[in-house]
Amino acid sequence: MLVTGCAGFIGSHVAAALLRRGTRVVGIDNFDPFYARSIKERNLDRVRGALAGDDRRFELIEGDLCDASVVRRALEGNAIASVIHLAAKAGVRPSVEDPPAYANANVLATSLLLHHAATAGVKRCVVASSSSVYGNCATVPFHEELDVGEPISPYAATKRACELLGYTHWHLTRMPTAMLRFFTVFGPGQRPDLAINLFMRKAVKREPITLYGSLDSSRDYTFIDDIVVGVLSALDRVDRFGYRVWNLGGAAPVTLRELVESIGAVTGTPLNVSQGPSRPGDVERTFASLKRARAELDFAPSVPLLKGLAAQWEWMKTQAS
Ligand SMILES: NC(=O)c1ccc[n+]([C@@H]2O[C@H](COP(=O)([O-])OP(=O)(O)OC[C@H]3O[C@@H](n4cnc5c(N)ncnc54)[C@H](O)[C@@H]3O)[C@@H](O)[C@H]2O)c1
């Protein structure tokens, strides 16, 4: 099994879960400087912690998926049957500053990976997409059949491009490919640029927080353990579907106002917030329809926001110490 983005937030949790169920994992990551390498090294401790002493079941390749020779070596040298592709430059706002870097890391890397995976005889791919592909869709909840032709950030556009590449590869090679639209993922290990992690760190230091956009904007948050279950379910079932897009969300959107209050309640420190303008690329709301994922993946998110925030807060306290 090849897991790309293995040193990242979601990749490290997915790799650990695979190791716990006995799978041999080859991870690949280029330690993109989007956030500190030291955080990614700690993510890898999570992966190695799942090895139960058998180090031979995990190998990390430090390399860039935009380099075809790295991709080929990873696939062919390890007789890979399945690929879980989670590597990407993530984050909506930075993508507005540097669209070409996102096109490179996300679209080129995915194109190379799908091409060489099919050539190397890989049997299936599961690929991370994003709720951001829905843009400011007027229909809620967002379901997989909606027209997603109007992404409003370069990041979202690259994720949609990856979905299209996935379909094309499926059409040409019949390599079953799942595209998973994750809705804001949180929990222990969450990326440091994401709101909950950022707000909790500010709460510890009692620093002021600027909220960008309306307090009534809303997000559908998904706890990391639920995402891992969804990823593994897609891996186990995608062969029956060929090419398939699935939403993986919490299906319980909360407003920015509610999020701030909930974090204040969990940390015991009401947040010191001020209001800033909305930022280009940010969508007004996200809200996953889980009808398809429930029916086809048995996906049923089980961790509500407050419980997940408490788990993330416990983890953040261990990081601070
Ligand atoms: N976290 C979320 O809320 C969320 C929501 C929607 C979609 N996603 C998607 O899920 C995936 C994982 O997100 P995450 O939050 O774990 O992000 P992350 O940044 O923690 O992990 C991504 C990893 O990919 C690696 N990477 C980036 N470019 C690479 C390249 N060219 N070659 C090799 N490695 C590379 C990075 O170093 C990083 O460790 C991404 O595809 C992201 O777009 C995440």
Side-chain angles (χ1 to χ4, degrees):
M1 173 84 58
L2 181 70
V3 178
T4 75
C6 180
F9 166 38
I10 300 173
S12 58
H13 281 276
V14 167
L18 287 164
L19 291 170
R20 280 195 295 271
R21 72 177 197 176
T23 308
R24 180 173 181 272
V25 174
V26 176
I28 185 161
D29 204 294
N30 71 345
F31 294 87
D32 182 282
F34 181 50
Y35 63 89
R37 182 176 180 119
S38 57
I39 298 176
K40 296 183 185 185
E41 296 287 0
R42 268 180 273 160
N43 289 340
L44 288 169
D45 290 343
R46 171 178 309 117
V47 179
R48 295 196 177 97
L51 275 169
D54 184 1
D55 286 0
R56 291 163 307 173
R57 287 196 299 120
F58 177 62
E59 181 195 341
L60 177 72
I61 299 170
E62 180 166 349
D64 192 334
L65 289 168
C66 294
D67 180 340
S69 64
V70 169
V71 175
R72 270 202 311 271
R73 263 204 316 276
L75 290 165
E76 289 160 12
N78 293 288
I80 298 291
S82 305
V83 172
I84 301 182
H85 176 39
L86 301 167
K89 265 193 180 296
V92 166
R93 289 170 188 167
S95 78
V96 175
E97 305 302 319
D98 192 359
Y102 278 69
N104 193 53
N106 298 356
V107 184
L108 174 62
T110 302
S111 178
L112 275 170
L113 184 65
L114 291 172
H115 173 63
H116 289 292
T119 311
V122 166
K123 300 207 164 12
R124 64 198 64 80
C125 282
V126 174
V127 180
S129 184
S130 162
S131 62
S132 63
V133 300
Y134 289 106
N136 276 328
C137 253
T139 308
V140 284
F142 297 157
H143 63 82
E144 295 88 341
E145 308 263 292
L146 284 171
D147 179 8
V148 285
E150 295 182 347
I152 66 164
S153 68
Y155 168 72
T158 65
K159 286 291 171 181
R160 181 65 187 133
C162 292
E163 291 186 350
L164 296 173
L165 282 169
Y167 179 80
T168 305
H169 276 273
W170 152 247
H171 175 77
L172 294 173
T173 68
R174 298 289 142 176
M175 178 176 66
T177 302
M179 289 289 164
L180 303 180
R181 292 179 179 165
F182 299 153
F183 285 66
T184 317
V185 188
F186 76 111
Q190 193 197 36
R191 282 202 336 258
D193 59 300
L194 290 172
I196 296 172
N197 185 319
L198 190 66
F199 293 177
M200 285 183 173
R201 279 183 286 135
K202 296 269 188 189
V204 172
K205 296 182 192 154
R206 296 183 186 273
E207 286 175 359
I209 297 168
T210 308
L211 302 175
Y212 295 98
S214 163
L215 285 170
D216 294 319
S217 63
S218 58
R219 291 287 177 278
D220 193 352
Y221 292 95
T222 325
F223 191 66
I224 182 65
D225 294 1
D226 288 325
I227 287 289
V228 170
V229 169
V231 170
L232 297 189
S233 181
L235 176 75
D236 294 340
R237 297 176 193 213
V238 66
D239 291 6
R240 287 184 226 160
F241 294 92
Y243 174 84
R244 196 70 166 156
V245 174
W246 283 293
N247 284 341
L248 295 182
V254 294
T255 63
L256 185 54
R257 180 183 290 104
E258 289 163 339
L259 180 70
V260 164
E261 286 165 6
S262 301
I263 293 176
V266 165
T267 59
T269 314
L271 304 187
N272 172 8
V273 296
S274 62
Q275 192 76 33
S278 65
R279 296 210 277 200
D282 280 351
V283 299
E284 287 152 23
R285 60 185 170 178
T286 62
F287 183 179
S289 161
L290 296 183
K291 197 169 166 210
R292 180 183 286 185
R294 279 189 207 282
E296 297 175 353
L297 300 179
D298 283 332
F299 180 70
S302 61
V303 182
L305 183 73
L306 275 177
K307 192 172 166 201
L309 287 178
Q312 183 163 345
W313 179 233
E314 285 310 308
W315 168 77
M316 302 248 351
K317 285 193 288 190
T318 65
Q319 301 303 294
S321 66

